[in-house]
Amino acid sequence: MSLSKKMLRDIKINRTQFIAIFLMAFLGIFAYCGIYGEYYGLVQTSNDYYAQTNMADGWIYNTTFDDPSLDKINEFSTQTDRQAVIQSVADLENKPDIRLHFVENATISKFYVEEGNEFDPSDASGVWMDKRFADERNLNIGDNITFKFNDLEITKEIKGIGYSPEYIYESSPNSLTPDFSQIGFAYLSHDAYPNDLEYDTLLVKYNCSDNDFKDKLDDSISYLSFTKKEDQISVAKFSDEMAQHKMIGDVFPIVFILVTFLTLLTTMTRIVTHQRTQIGILKAVGYRNKTIILHYVSYGFWPVLAGAILGLITGPMIIPQMFYPTMAATYSMPSWNPGFDMIFIYVAALLVVSSVFVTYLSCRRISKENPANTLRPKAPNTSSNTFIEKSGLWRHLSFNLRWNWRDARRNKFRALMAIVGVMGCVALLIAAFGMNDCMEDLKTWEYDDISHFESKLLLSSEANPLEVYYILNYTNGSFIMQQSIEIKANDMEDTVTLLVSNNTDLISYTDDNKNPIEIDEGDVSISAKLAERFNLSIGDTIRWHIVGSDEWVSSKIGQIHSEPVSQGLIMSPDTLEDQGLNFTPTNIITQDKFCEKYDSIKSVSTIDGLKKSWDQITTSVMMMVYVVTFVAVALAILVLYNLGILSFTEMEREIATLKVLGFKTNVLRKLLLTQNIIFTAIGFILGIPLGFYFMTLMMNAAGDSLYYIPTLTWGNILLSAFITFTISIAVNLLFSDKINVLNMVEALKDVE
């Protein structure tokens, strides 16, 4: 029989093990290339989008940018473009908010046209609309739309529908997820403005660092604020999303591929050990060691190669499509395409090469033996007595424990493989369930412990004061003011949230332990995560202003509160007015279920709706939790199954000897089960801190807006333990049945 026919026969006989090797290689590469294909797709698609639309490197805000100021900035920038950005109300049902961009040249952060004509900065009659808003409102090319702003009203024809690179993410004032029927943007020619236009936004491109550009800017003109590209709200939010996906891609597939190597090594060791006699016959009939090694190396090469190629092809095709539909509900881009990088091929090739090396390690020792020794069964491993075996404690241990202790010492590598394999599975389970617990904990913290209202009413910018106060009294509600503010401290700046509220039972402020705290009158409280990022403590001073206002104020931090979802400042209306700013309510919160229609109420959010919004924005994270859980379970089954086969193969002689000595099958089953449970328990205990570390890494990548306290719940531990030990015991029971059909003659052949 030729070696190729022998290989096919061996693969057929041991098909279960080779299928396991194939699946391990496939799942490892599938997960790695799939998750990274999704991440690289986000990176490559967004970068191409930014490049195609010439995304700005920075935005400068001022009351106006005249020609002399523009000339000064042009001296140290490579390209500039002025815009007037104005908040308007569209003359449609529920009066949606539309941000209008009156553009001078349309050379930076260009509007991306999906339907209709290309944007024309000289066309005063047209408007180019946000596609997400147009789809929600059933607006089409050729329709007319009216905008109201600053006591002015303009009506324009829709000539284009598409996207803007500045609005990949749009924040809704009353919801965590964008309500595209209530918010949108539009681009118009500067000539479309009915009066003299004063540009308040300058988009810039430059070829120096952000800090160098800002230093030059500070030396040239006076301005309100400067935002670099990475701090722009849309860019920052999308970058945080990509960073979390990358972190999951870094952690989870690498563990899987590492365990794949260990499983391959144990599997090939078992096969080579089982075929000692056949290897001896091949040597005796003249086959060289090199030929025999190449023959057995091919056992690991072909299934791993097939699994790696299949994973390389299907991973980037399947996994990204599982996440993109849910992400498209929150983010807006013209296309969502999986990415590819040469690292995928390198990793797949490395896995195949490593499989060859691992297989070589498993058969090189036996290839060096002479034919006579190879024809004999493998001599059992031996070990010397340890301190424990010489102590008095040893005599008090059961035969079961003593036998398993000595077996583990004789087969240290197999014991290590079992522990490491289980540890990897448990780490993935702990991380996956921990992420789920964290997301649920944040949801409960925000919408049960902090928010006690039933309805949140968003006030229209054109609200009638008499009607507003009638609604306030009718609902027994409370005014709150929520605004975006820009904060500066310790050479850092960011755009965060300001909440101004009276002492009301409808909102509770909390500490790190989720216990309610009172924010004293006159104090400005900063969220714990923001304080940590800016290295601030009580008594420090910050500067801030409401976005859209040029009035900066300085405030001393009086307290620090913990907020899971929205980071920023909290103060009372009197404290705000002491800062020289007016308290302008933006919302009414109430315990009533409000469903009536008033002109002064733009929209109504319920606590149930806010919870649904939370579930929507965490959909991609939860999808990753499901993927990690599924693969971790598959990993546990494959690892423990292969280790079970190896254990039984190595212990055939010992088990047969014990049967001859009169040990019952149930006793022998208990021996195997005890060893399996001990190894699983050790791997489980070691996997808990590793899983907690993985969970922390992945949650830290969730972005600057989420604040969580890392916790490891008993529910997480118990669920992971149930899954791990159930798989371990079930796999063990499969192999304990082999005791009944053990070939006693073959197993007890002496080493002659």
Side-chain angles (χ1 to χ4, degrees):
M1 179 184 295
S2 66
L3 290 181
S4 60
K5 290 183 178 179
K6 176 182 178 300
M7 182 183 70
L8 294 176
R9 187 197 63 181
D10 290 341
I11 290 177
K12 182 178 180 180
I13 295 174
N14 300 279
R15 56 184 176 275
T16 305
Q17 291 76 53
F18 283 103
I19 290 174
I21 294 173
F22 165 80
L23 288 176
M24 291 294 292
F26 164 70
L27 288 175
I29 298 299
F30 175 82
Y32 181 86
C33 296
I35 294 176
Y36 262 97
E38 187 252 354
Y39 164 70
Y40 280 122
L42 297 178
V43 172
Q44 293 166 4
T45 302
S46 60
N47 286 343
D48 290 344
Y49 183 34
Y50 291 151
Q52 188 175 356
T53 55
N54 196 30
M55 182 68 160
D57 291 330
W59 291 258
I60 309 171
Y61 302 99
N62 205 355
T63 52
T64 183
F65 287 96
D66 54 19
D67 291 338
S69 298
L70 183 62
D71 291 338
K72 290 181 180 180
I73 296 174
N74 282 332
E75 292 177 1
F76 53 88
S77 60
T78 59
Q79 193 177 1
T80 58
D81 193 10
R82 290 184 290 189
Q83 292 184 7
V85 183
I86 298 173
Q87 194 68 37
S88 75
V89 175
D91 189 16
L92 297 169
E93 184 181 2
N94 295 331
K95 305 297 183 182
D97 292 325
I98 304 295
R99 183 170 292 184
L100 304 179
H101 292 249
F102 292 93
V103 182
E104 183 177 28
N105 298 315
T107 56
I108 303 177
S109 296
K110 296 182 289 186
F111 185 84
Y112 183 97
V113 177
E114 185 81 4
E115 305 173 34
N117 301 328
E118 291 296 321
F119 180 75
D120 185 356
S122 63
D123 186 345
S125 63
V127 61
W128 280 255
M129 290 298 305
D130 173 10
K131 179 172 174 56
R132 305 299 293 268
F133 177 82
D135 289 344
E136 288 289 333
R137 292 285 182 159
N138 295 317
L139 299 174
N140 300 296
I141 303 296
D143 292 348
N144 289 328
I145 184 170
T146 300
F147 305 102
K148 297 178 181 179
F149 56 91
N150 300 339
D151 297 325
L152 299 173
E153 181 176 304
I154 60 173
T155 301
K156 302 296 179 183
E157 178 187 352
I158 299 177
K159 295 190 174 180
I161 295 175
Y163 302 90
S164 167
E166 295 186 17
Y167 292 95
I168 289 181
Y169 172 78
E170 297 180 67
S171 58
S172 292
N174 234 30
S175 174
L176 292 174
T177 55
D179 183 355
F180 294 110
S181 67
Q182 289 298 329
I183 58 171
F185 61 87
Y187 279 66
L188 303 94
S189 164
H190 60 281
D191 292 331
Y193 194 81
N195 298 329
D196 293 335
L197 182 62
E198 292 186 347
Y199 298 105
D200 60 1
T201 306
L202 183 64
L203 284 65
V204 292
K205 300 282 290 185
Y206 45 84
N207 54 13
C208 58
S209 68
D210 296 321
N211 291 334
D212 288 345
F213 179 85
K214 191 173 183 303
D215 290 340
K216 295 175 183 178
L217 182 64
D218 292 340
D219 295 336
S220 62
I221 66 167
S222 298
Y223 63 98
L224 293 177
S225 63
F226 169 74
T227 300
K228 57 187 177 182
K229 179 179 177 180
E230 65 183 38
D231 291 338
Q232 198 259 355
I233 293 177
S234 172
V235 174
K237 182 70 175 179
F238 197 62
S239 296
D240 288 342
E241 182 79 25
M242 291 189 293
Q244 187 175 38
H245 289 225
K246 182 180 184 298
M247 182 58 67
I248 295 174
D250 286 339
V251 170
F252 148 54
I254 291 177
V255 173
F256 204 98
I257 291 174
L258 175 62
V259 177
T260 300
F261 290 154
L262 301 179
T263 304
L264 178 63
L265 181 58
T266 55
T267 301
M268 289 309 303
T269 299
R270 187 201 69 81
I271 292 175
V272 171
T273 301
H274 191 71
Q275 296 193 358
R276 283 181 60 87
T277 303
Q278 296 182 35
I279 294 174
I281 294 173
L282 291 175
K283 286 172 172 276
V285 298
Y287 282 95
R288 294 183 299 174
N289 288 337
K290 180 179 179 181
T291 304
I292 295 173
I293 290 177
L294 289 176
H295 168 68
Y296 281 98
V297 161
S298 65
Y299 282 46
F301 173 78
W302 292 112
V304 171
L305 178 64
I309 292 175
L310 185 61
L312 185 64
I313 295 173
T314 58
M317 292 173 58
I318 295 176
I319 290 184
Q321 301 307 326
M322 297 169 61
F323 293 94
Y324 288 166
T326 58
M327 295 186 64
T330 303
Y331 302 99
S332 301
M333 285 200 300
S335 61
W336 297 84
N337 301 313
F340 189 84
D341 192 87
M342 285 300 296
I343 190 67
F344 299 170
I345 296 178
Y346 298 151
V347 170
L350 179 62
L351 180 63
V352 175
V353 172
S354 299
S355 71
V356 171
F357 178 70
V358 165
T359 310
Y360 168 73
L361 291 179
S362 64
C363 63
R364 66 170 182 170
R365 180 177 298 176
I366 195 172
S367 68
K368 294 180 180 180
E369 297 182 21
N370 59 52
N373 289 335
T374 310
L375 286 168
R376 299 170 181 169
K378 181 183 178 182
N381 295 329
T382 59
S383 62
S384 58
N385 289 340
T386 62
F387 171 77
I388 294 178
E389 294 168 278
K390 295 177 182 178
S391 66
L393 175 64
W394 183 256
R395 293 191 300 271
H396 297 286
L397 296 178
S398 66
F399 171 77
N400 192 328
L401 292 176
R402 284 186 285 177
W403 186 86
N404 277 299
W405 168 266
R406 284 177 168 167
D407 180 73
R409 291 195 64 243
R410 287 193 301 267
N411 300 280
K412 297 182 182 66
F413 184 74
R414 170 164 52 83
L416 178 64
M417 294 301 101
I419 293 171
V420 171
V422 172
M423 184 171 67
C425 304
V426 171
L428 294 180
L429 289 173
I430 291 288
F433 296 146
M435 289 176 65
N436 179 69
D437 290 342
C438 282
M439 290 301 175
E440 286 298 319
D441 184 63
L442 292 178
K443 179 180 175 181
T444 302
W445 188 1
E446 179 68 25
Y447 299 114
D448 292 335
D449 299 332
I450 293 179
S451 302
H452 308 299
F453 54 84
E454 178 61 34
S455 301
K456 184 177 182 182
L457 287 56
L458 178 64
L459 301 178
S460 170
S461 58
E462 301 175 347
N464 184 324
L466 293 177
E467 188 174 66
V468 168
Y469 277 95
Y470 169 78
I471 296 171
L472 180 71
N473 294 326
Y474 173 71
T475 60
N476 193 26
S478 178
F479 281 136
I480 63 170
M481 173 181 171
Q482 285 184 301
Q483 295 280 7
S484 294
I485 62 172
E486 185 179 20
I487 179 176
K488 292 184 178 181
N490 295 332
D491 297 324
M492 298 177 63
E493 57 185 78
D494 196 6
T495 300
V496 295
T497 301
L498 168 68
L499 172 62
V500 184
S501 170
N502 287 304
N503 288 325
T504 171
D505 294 335
L506 300 178
I507 298 178
S508 295
Y509 312 119
T510 59
D511 58 18
D512 275 356
N513 296 320
K514 305 174 188 174
N515 297 319
I517 61 173
E518 293 289 336
I519 295 180
D520 299 331
E521 187 64 48
D523 277 349
V524 173
S525 182
I526 188 171
S527 60
K529 184 162 187 176
L530 191 60
E532 182 181 345
R533 285 176 50 217
F534 278 69
N535 193 25
L536 296 170
S537 57
I538 294 175
D540 292 341
T541 300
I542 59 174
R543 295 185 68 244
W544 59 275
H545 77 106
I546 296 175
V547 173
S549 169
D550 58 355
E551 188 173 353
W552 286 81
V553 297
S554 295
S555 302
K556 181 178 290 187
I557 298 174
Q559 290 182 243
I560 296 178
H561 65 276
S562 298
E563 162 63 43
V565 173
S566 178
Q567 308 307 315
L569 305 180
I570 296 178
M571 65 187 72
S572 69
D574 290 341
T575 304
L576 179 69
E577 292 178 355
D578 289 342
Q579 303 285 322
L581 301 175
N582 294 325
F583 174 65
T584 306
T586 58
N587 299 84
I588 295 175
I589 53 176
T590 174
Q591 287 183 327
D592 297 341
K593 289 187 176 181
F594 189 87
C595 56
E596 300 181 31
K597 289 189 175 182
Y598 290 90
D599 291 338
S600 297
I601 304 301
K602 182 181 289 294
S603 63
V604 178
S605 298
T606 64
I607 199 70
D608 289 338
L610 292 173
K611 289 180 179 179
K612 289 180 180 178
S613 296
W614 173 262
D615 292 338
Q616 183 177 336
I617 67 171
T618 58
T619 300
S620 61
V621 175
M622 298 312 300
M623 180 67 72
M624 190 65 72
V625 169
Y626 301 146
V627 171
V628 172
T629 303
F630 169 77
V631 178
V633 171
L635 177 64
I637 294 173
L638 292 171
V639 167
L640 293 174
Y641 182 82
N642 278 277
L643 288 171
I645 294 177
L646 179 64
S647 298
F648 189 83
T649 301
E650 291 184 343
M651 293 188 295
E652 276 184 331
R653 181 180 178 83
E654 290 89 340
I655 292 173
T657 302
L658 292 174
K659 286 193 72 172
V660 170
L661 293 175
F663 283 81
K664 301 296 184 181
T665 299
N666 288 338
V667 175
L668 299 178
R669 283 182 172 180
K670 187 178 179 181
L671 286 177
L672 296 178
L673 182 61
T674 300
Q675 183 179 102
N676 209 16
I677 290 178
I678 291 173
F679 290 161
T680 302
I682 295 173
F684 180 81
I685 293 171
L686 295 177
I688 291 175
L690 182 62
F692 182 77
Y693 175 69
F694 287 166
M695 179 198 70
T696 304
L697 286 179
M698 291 184 280
M699 287 301 300
N700 285 343
D704 294 329
S705 62
L706 296 184
Y707 177 68
Y708 76 103
I709 309 299
T711 54
L712 187 60
T713 65
W714 280 109
N716 182 349
I717 295 174
L718 293 176
L719 181 58
S720 300
F722 174 78
I723 293 175
T724 305
F725 282 93
T726 298
I727 294 173
S728 177
I729 294 172
V731 170
N732 181 266
L733 292 177
L734 288 176
F735 290 105
S736 60
D737 288 338
K738 291 181 177 290
I739 296 175
N740 293 325
V741 295
L742 183 63
N743 189 328
M744 303 290 289
V745 175
E746 184 69 25
L748 288 172
K749 281 185 179 178
D750 198 7
V751 182
E752 298 175 359

